[in-house]
Amino acid sequence: MLPLDYNLHTLGWRAFQDLSAVVLQRVLGQTFHAFADSNDGGRDGAFHGTWATPGDAPQPEVAALAAGRATVAQCKFSGQATGTLTPSMLADEISKVELLHQQGLCDAYLLLTNLRVTGRTEAWVAEECARVGVDASLVLDGRWICQQIETRPDLRRYVPRVYGLGDLGKILDDRRLRQAEALLARLRPDLATFVPTAAYRRAADAVADYGFVLLLGEPACGKTTIAATLALAALDNWKCGVRRVDSAEELVAAWDPDDPDQLFWVDDAFGSIRHNPELTDGWTRRMDQVMTAIERGAKVVLTSRDYIYRDARPYLKEYVHTRLRERQVVVDVTELTPTERGQILYNHLKAGDQSADTLNRWRPHLRAAANVERFQPEVARRLAYTAFTESAQLASRDALLRWFDRPVSFLADVLRQLDPAARAALACVYMAGDELSAPIELTPRLSDAITRLGSSPAEVLSAFGPADGTFLQLSQSSDGDPVWRFRHPTIREGFAAVVAEEANAVGVFVDGLAPDELVEQLDCGGERARGTFVRVPPSLYDRVVPKVPVPSRTATKWSNPTAWFLQYRCSDEFLRQWASHHAEDLPRLATFGMYIGAMWEPGVLVRLQAAEALPESVRAAAAAQLAEHALDFDSGWLDPGVVTLLTADERASILDRIREEVIPDLRERIDQAGEGWDDDVEPAQRYDEARTAIRQYRDAFADDASVQDALADADAYIDERVEYAHEDYRPRLASPLAAAAPGALSDRDEFDDVADGHH
C-alpha cells in the first residue's frame, strides 16, 4: 500500500530543509549541525555530524550507516509536483562529498529528497561515493518521508504545515477529523506560511510534557496562529478533543473527568483589548481545578497580549503566579531568530500576490527588512498583498524598512484609501462586534450606516469577497456558524483609528451602536484608552451621553463594561455632562455591598469626583457605606483607588472605630474569613483577604505600637491556620520537562527564489 502523498513539493525548499532536520532528530535519532555553504545557490541544505546509534530500534533502511562515522546529510528539493532524481542533479554534490571526505568530515553520505528515486540512481550514488572514498551511502526519497509523516504524529507536530498537505481522513477518526477540518477552515491560510520557530517548539513541548502553556506577545506576533496549530496537533498527537473556551470557569465546567483527553484553548485569557480583572480573578480561583484537569490528561493553551499580562500579574495571587513563572510553560512568541524572521517573510511573500518584478526589486533588501527590530509576522503578511501596498510606494530600501518599523501608519494610509464600499464592509463587521453572521443579512441600522458612509447595500455585499484573506476573513463562531471577522485584531484597531479621524463616520457609529455595543467600542477622551476603540470628539458627546446608562447593580466591577467605560474611557468634560444627565440616578451609586474590592461603584465615584462631577451628598453617603463595611473586616476602603472618597476626618474616624471594635478580636475575624471554603481550595487562598487586611492595617496604624503588636500576632495566627488547613488539602502539581529543539537550519539566502511562480 502506497503511503499518503503529502505534496512535499508545495513546502518550499526552506520548509523541506526544516522537515529534514526534524526527520534526522525525531526519526533517525541524529543531531547534526548545518553547513553554511553558499555554493548550492541557497536552495539545498546540508548537515554534518557523527552518526549516533539511536536510542530506539533503528530504521532498517539506515543499517548501512554505522555509529561513529562522520556523516553528511544532504537535502535535495524540487518544486515540481512529479519528478525523479537523476544523476545529473547530483554531479556537483559528489565533488563536495569528495572534498568533505578529504577534510575528515564525510565517511558516510545520506541524501533526503522529495523526489522519486530509482534503483539505478541509488546505485549510481553508491558507486560515486565509493569512488571518492565514501563507502557508506543512503538515499531516502519523498515516498519514504511521506511514510514517516503518516506513521509519526511527532513529525506532524514539529512541522505542522504538512497538516494542510495530506488527507487528514487517513490519520484522524471521524470526530477529530470534523474538529480538524473546522480548525483548518480558519487556519489553512496561516498554515501555508507557518514557520515552526523555537518559540513554537517550546510551546509544543510544554503542552506535551507539562499539559499547559501561556503564549505571550504583542499584537501581530502570531500567538493565535500558534495556539490554533497546537490545537490541530493535539487532535493528532494526543487524540484530544479541542474546545475553545473564554474563561477558567468555562474550562472547568466543560472538563469531563470521564473523557480526560481534551485540549482547552483560551485566546486572550486575561482580556482582549484591555486587562479584564474578572477573567484574571477566575484563573486565580480556579487554578487548582485547572491543574487537576491537567493532571488527569487535559491540556490547556492560553494566549495573552504582553501588556495585558503585565496588567494582570498584580492581580494574580502569589500561589497562582508561581505556576506561571516556569520558562517551560510561559513562552514569549516574539522571540525570533534572524533565520526565523527571514523564513517568515519568505513564506508570506511566496504565498502573496505581489508581482515578480516587485519581488525582484525588493529582494536585495529583504534580509535587512527581516532584521528590523519591530518585525512582526502579521506585518510581513500585509507586505505580501497588493491590497496593502499599492499606495505605499515601497520603491527604496528605506521605504521597505519603514514598512516594518512604522506598521500602524502604513496600515492607516491603506485604510484611508479604501473605496466607500470596502470601508462600509469593514464598518459592518466592526459594528457587529467582529462577528458578522454569514450569509449577511443587513439590518436597518447597518443599511443606514452603509448609506451614510457613501455606499449601497449591493456594493457592500460585493465588497466582502475581495476583502476575504486580506482585511477580513470568513471564519467560524464558537458554535461553528460562519461569520465574518477582521483578518487580524490590528486591522480592527487600525480601522478604529482611521474612523476616528472623520466626525461624520464617528457619528454613524454613535447612532448605529446599541448602548451595550457603544460602551465596548467607543472612547470619549479617556487617558488610558488603547486598542480597538473609535474616539468620539467632544462635539458629539451630547449624542453619546443619553445612550450610556447608569451601570447595572447586579454585576461586579470586572463584568461591568459600562463601569469600565466611565472609569477609563471618558474625559472630565464627558463625565460632567453624563452626571448632569443622570443626576436623579446618581444617589444609588452610594449603596454597594461587602467586598469593596469587587464593587464597581467606588471606582466610578472616585472618577466622578476627580472630574468634579460628583455631588457632595452622594459622596457623603458613599463614605458612610465605606465606614459600615470597614467595621466588618473589609479593608477595601483603604485601597488607593477608593480611600480618596473620604475626607481626612472621615478616614481618622473609621480608623478610631477599627482600633476599638476590630483589632481586639482579630483572631475571630480571621477564623470567619477562612470558613466556608471547599477542601480543594489552597489554604493560602482561603486566608488571602484576611492577610490583605492585616497588611493594609499595618500601614494605616504605622505609628501605633500596640496595634502593630496585635497585627503581628494576627499575621502569625494566619500562618498557623494555613498550616493546619494543609492537613486536609493535597496540592495538585505537575512537573515540566523541556524537550530538545530540532537541529538548526543553515544560514543561507532564503530569498533567492522568492519571485519564482509570480508573474
Side-chain angles (χ1 to χ4, degrees):
M1 181 178 177
L2 292 177
L4 185 63
D5 185 3
Y6 279 90
N7 299 303
L8 299 179
H9 68 282
T10 64
L11 282 174
W13 73 267
R14 175 65 83 175
F16 181 73
Q17 182 173 327
D18 182 70
L19 172 61
S20 298
V22 176
V23 168
L24 284 171
Q25 183 191 49
R26 309 296 297 188
V27 179
L28 304 180
Q30 311 299 313
T31 302
F32 282 4
H33 302 286
F35 276 121
D37 181 359
S38 61
N39 292 333
D40 287 332
R43 302 197 185 199
D44 298 317
F47 303 85
H48 72 96
T50 300
W51 192 262
T53 301
D56 300 328
Q59 294 279 338
E61 295 91 339
V62 302
L65 303 182
R69 288 185 178 233
T71 304
V72 169
Q74 174 79 41
C75 309
K76 203 70 179 175
F77 174 77
S78 172
Q80 298 178 2
T82 59
T84 302
L85 189 71
T86 63
S88 62
M89 296 178 183
L90 298 173
D92 290 342
E93 306 307 329
I94 297 301
S95 62
K96 295 176 189 176
V97 168
E98 182 177 13
L99 179 61
L100 291 169
H101 177 66
Q102 293 171 357
Q103 296 172 350
L105 296 174
C106 183
D107 294 322
Y109 178 66
L110 170 64
L111 178 66
L112 298 98
T113 180
N114 66 306
L115 295 167
R116 290 188 300 109
V117 179
T118 65
R120 180 176 298 181
T121 298
E122 191 169 4
W124 180 88
V125 170
E127 291 171 2
E128 288 298 300
C129 285
R131 181 181 60 80
V132 299
V134 177
D135 59 359
S137 64
L138 177 65
V139 180
L140 300 175
D141 65 2
R143 188 164 55 183
W144 183 87
I145 294 175
C146 286
Q147 186 179 44
Q148 304 312 306
I149 295 172
E150 183 176 354
T151 58
R152 296 186 62 107
D154 55 338
L155 281 187
R156 302 192 288 272
R157 182 172 86 236
Y158 278 98
V159 191
R161 284 186 65 184
V162 299
Y163 285 117
L165 304 179
D167 180 1
L168 291 177
K170 299 289 185 63
I171 59 175
L172 299 176
D173 61 35
D174 288 343
R175 177 177 62 90
R176 288 179 293 124
L177 178 61
R178 289 194 298 273
Q179 290 188 311
E181 289 173 339
L183 280 169
L184 278 175
R186 175 226 174 275
L187 188 61
R188 197 176 296 276
D190 295 319
L191 203 58
T193 58
F194 188 77
V195 174
T197 63
Y200 167 78
R201 292 192 294 268
R202 287 201 306 273
D205 289 340
V207 174
D209 300 326
Y210 194 57
F212 177 83
V213 70
L214 169 60
L215 304 173
L216 294 180
E218 60 190 0
C221 68
K223 300 181 297 298
T224 298
T225 298
I226 289 179
T229 306
L230 290 173
L232 188 59
L235 288 165
D236 179 19
N237 279 239
W238 305 297
K239 317 307 178 189
C240 289
V242 174
R243 291 287 299 269
R244 294 268 319 250
V245 294
D246 294 324
S247 65
E249 285 81 3
E250 283 190 30
L251 189 159
V252 171
W255 177 59
D256 182 358
D258 296 325
D259 183 19
D261 295 325
Q262 297 171 279
L263 181 137
F264 296 96
W265 169 14
V266 191
D267 247 347
D268 300 317
F270 309 108
S272 57
I273 55 180
R274 57 166 170 78
H275 174 227
N276 184 337
E278 182 183 29
L279 292 175
T280 303
D281 182 65
W283 290 108
T284 296
R285 291 184 291 105
R286 301 288 188 182
M287 187 59 79
D288 245 19
Q289 293 162 285
V290 171
M291 288 299 169
T292 297
I294 290 172
E295 279 188 342
R296 298 185 183 180
K299 301 182 187 299
V300 177
V301 177
L302 311 182
T303 75
S304 176
R305 294 189 177 192
D306 49 2
Y307 68 82
I308 291 177
Y309 182 59
R310 286 196 298 270
D311 288 346
R313 286 182 66 175
Y315 292 82
L316 289 169
K317 308 302 183 186
E318 182 66 19
Y319 49 83
V320 174
H321 185 58
T322 53
R323 297 179 178 184
L324 300 179
R325 283 181 178 171
E326 301 290 343
R327 178 167 175 78
Q328 292 95 329
V329 299
V330 180
V331 178
D332 183 351
V333 304
T334 62
E335 296 177 354
L336 299 173
T337 67
T339 299
E340 290 169 347
R341 292 175 176 215
Q343 189 176 353
I344 289 169
L345 180 55
Y346 171 89
N347 284 1
H348 280 298
L349 292 175
K350 289 289 286 185
D353 65 1
Q354 297 290 355
S355 69
D357 288 343
T358 297
L359 294 174
N360 282 323
R361 186 169 64 251
W362 289 347
R363 181 186 160 193
H365 315 308
L366 292 177
R367 168 57 68 181
N371 286 330
V372 170
E373 183 177 356
R374 297 185 62 187
F375 177 89
Q376 296 171 313
E378 167 62 16
V379 179
R381 185 191 72 84
R382 293 178 202 157
L383 183 67
Y385 290 94
T386 55
F388 291 97
T389 61
E390 281 180 336
S391 60
Q393 298 181 343
L394 302 176
S396 67
R397 180 181 186 275
D398 289 344
L400 199 60
L401 300 187
R402 283 197 302 272
W403 174 269
F404 286 95
D405 196 47
R406 291 163 41 196
V408 175
S409 61
F410 274 106
L411 177 60
D413 288 342
V414 171
L415 294 173
R416 289 187 194 101
Q417 296 182 47
L418 290 177
D419 62 60
R423 292 187 68 186
L426 269 59
C428 288
V429 177
Y430 186 93
M431 293 175 69
D434 200 23
E435 195 166 285
L436 180 65
S437 296
I440 300 165
E441 294 183 10
L442 295 178
T443 63
R445 70 187 183 98
L446 288 181
S447 297
D448 177 65
I450 288 169
T451 301
R452 293 169 63 185
L453 288 171
S455 187
S456 69
E459 291 172 332
V460 168
L461 291 176
S462 298
F464 277 89
D468 188 16
T470 52
F471 303 103
L472 300 176
Q473 177 172 300
L474 186 58
S475 183
Q476 289 184 338
S477 70
S478 57
D479 297 325
D481 298 323
V483 292
W484 286 98
R485 290 194 174 108
F486 282 92
R487 179 61 175 75
H488 194 273
T490 55
I491 297 177
R492 174 185 167 93
E493 293 170 8
F495 178 74
V498 170
V499 167
E501 299 171 350
E502 187 178 335
N504 177 58
V506 176
V508 171
F509 279 84
V510 170
D511 294 340
L513 293 174
D516 59 332
E517 298 168 326
L518 183 147
V519 297
E520 290 278 13
Q521 303 192 41
L522 299 185
D523 162 41
C524 291
E527 294 182 359
R528 290 180 54 183
R530 59 183 171 185
T532 62
F533 306 114
V534 170
R535 197 170 186 93
V536 179
S539 61
L540 295 179
Y541 284 175
D542 61 341
R543 291 161 68 175
V544 178
V545 162
K547 300 182 73 171
V548 180
V550 172
S552 167
R553 293 289 302 274
T554 60
T556 68
K557 74 174 184 180
W558 302 309
S559 60
N560 197 323
T562 304
W564 278 89
F565 172 77
L566 293 170
Q567 281 187 259
Y568 301 117
R569 301 209 305 278
C570 296
S571 66
D572 290 354
E573 180 183 349
F574 180 91
L575 290 174
R576 287 191 288 268
Q577 291 186 34
W578 182 85
S580 176
H581 183 84
H582 295 284
E584 294 183 0
D585 295 321
L586 292 183
R588 68 181 176 88
L589 299 184
T591 57
F592 45 87
M594 280 284 291
Y595 299 104
I596 296 169
M599 299 293 108
W600 60 263
E601 290 91 343
V604 171
L605 290 168
V606 168
R607 182 68 189 92
L608 291 171
Q609 181 182 28
E612 300 180 351
L614 183 65
E616 171 58 21
S617 60
V618 177
R619 188 211 64 79
Q625 186 78 84
L626 291 174
E628 179 181 335
H629 294 326
L631 297 178
D632 285 327
F633 203 45
D634 187 341
S635 64
W637 70 278
L638 284 170
D639 290 345
V642 177
V643 74
T644 55
L645 275 175
L646 303 172
T647 65
D649 289 343
E650 289 167 342
R651 183 175 183 273
S653 174
I654 293 174
L655 289 175
D656 286 342
R657 294 191 63 185
I658 288 174
R659 182 186 290 108
E660 297 170 1
E661 302 176 36
V662 176
I663 299 300
D665 62 347
L666 278 176
R667 290 197 172 203
E668 181 180 349
R669 303 296 184 113
I670 291 168
D671 287 341
Q672 291 172 352
E675 292 174 352
W677 297 89
D678 294 334
D679 289 343
D680 62 351
V681 176
E682 290 198 15
Q685 182 179 356
R686 304 177 201 178
Y687 293 93
D688 185 65
E689 293 296 331
R691 184 88 73 183
T692 299
I694 299 302
R695 185 180 66 249
Q696 290 182 308
Y697 289 148
R698 279 182 179 276
D699 294 336
F701 292 99
D703 298 328
D704 191 321
S706 62
V707 172
Q708 290 293 325
D709 290 342
L711 293 172
D713 175 76
D715 213 14
Y717 184 68
I718 291 176
D719 290 337
E720 293 176 11
R721 300 309 300 166
V722 169
E723 183 176 357
Y724 177 78
H726 268 286
E727 294 180 5
D728 62 357
Y729 170 74
R730 185 171 59 193
R732 314 186 195 285
L733 302 174
S735 56
L737 176 63
L745 298 175
S746 67
D747 185 21
R748 297 176 178 173
D749 177 15
E750 58 268 65
F751 301 106
D752 72 318
D753 65 339
V754 71
D756 289 2
H758 293 252
H759 302 292

